[in-house]
Amino acid sequence: MLSINLIILRIVSSIIYGCIFLFVTQHQNSLLFFIFILSLMLGSMYEICKINKHSQQFNIITQLIYITISLLILMSIKILETGSILVFILMILIWASDIGGYIVGKGIGKHKLTKISKNKTWEGVIGSMFFCLITSFILFI
């Protein structure tokens, strides 16, 4: 169980991180965005190596490749003419998906998805997709 201080710290750091991300995404200088994404990539790699101390090397390497490719694709979207807007829309859809999955999964989730992530449920997956679809319809009206 998370302590109230840890929850508050996570909420505050998420708000700060989100504001920084929105700033560098919308800023005309792509260098800020690239530096931010590079630091995010390095931090993610560090966390994966730290969390997976006892995992097989193949799993760690696969996760590192996944992170690297994902962030490189994000950088390539950013340099497009409408890249800032596309990255912003992508982040809104990801946040909507995460929030929807969490709310529905916690609220009515009963059927476990996998043993790997024991708190994930099929209801959460459906909620995640539903929130993402509704958000995309709202954004594109």
Side-chain angles (χ1 to χ4, degrees), residues 63-75:
Q63 292 170 353
L64 294 176
I65 290 171
Y66 175 78
I67 289 171
T68 303
I69 290 173
S70 298
L71 294 175
L72 288 173
I73 290 171
L74 189 61
M75 283 193 250

Side-chain angles (χ1 to χ4, degrees), residues 108-132:
I108 62 172
K110 292 185 183 9
H111 301 93
K112 297 297 178 186
L113 184 62
T114 67
K115 292 179 182 179
I116 296 170
S117 184
K118 61 183 179 185
N119 293 328
K120 302 283 190 257
T121 63
W122 283 105
E123 294 84 359
V125 170
I126 293 168
S128 176
M129 289 188 298
F130 180 74
F131 270 62
C132 189

Side-chain angles (χ1 to χ4, degrees), residues 4-5 37 39 48 57 60 76:
I4 191 72
N5 290 336
I37 293 298
S39 65
I48 283 184
Q57 291 290 356
I60 294 173
S76 66

Side-chain angles (χ1 to χ4, degrees), residues 49-82:
C49 291
K50 184 177 163 187
I51 290 170
N52 296 316
K53 287 180 184 175
H54 305 293
S55 290
Q56 296 176 347
Q57 291 290 356
F58 177 76
N59 290 339
I60 294 173
I61 291 170
T62 304
Q63 292 170 353
L64 294 176
I65 290 171
Y66 175 78
I67 289 171
T68 303
I69 290 173
S70 298
L71 294 175
L72 288 173
I73 290 171
L74 189 61
M75 283 193 250
S76 66
I77 292 171
K78 170 69 172 142
I79 62 174
L80 297 173
E81 185 178 334
T82 57

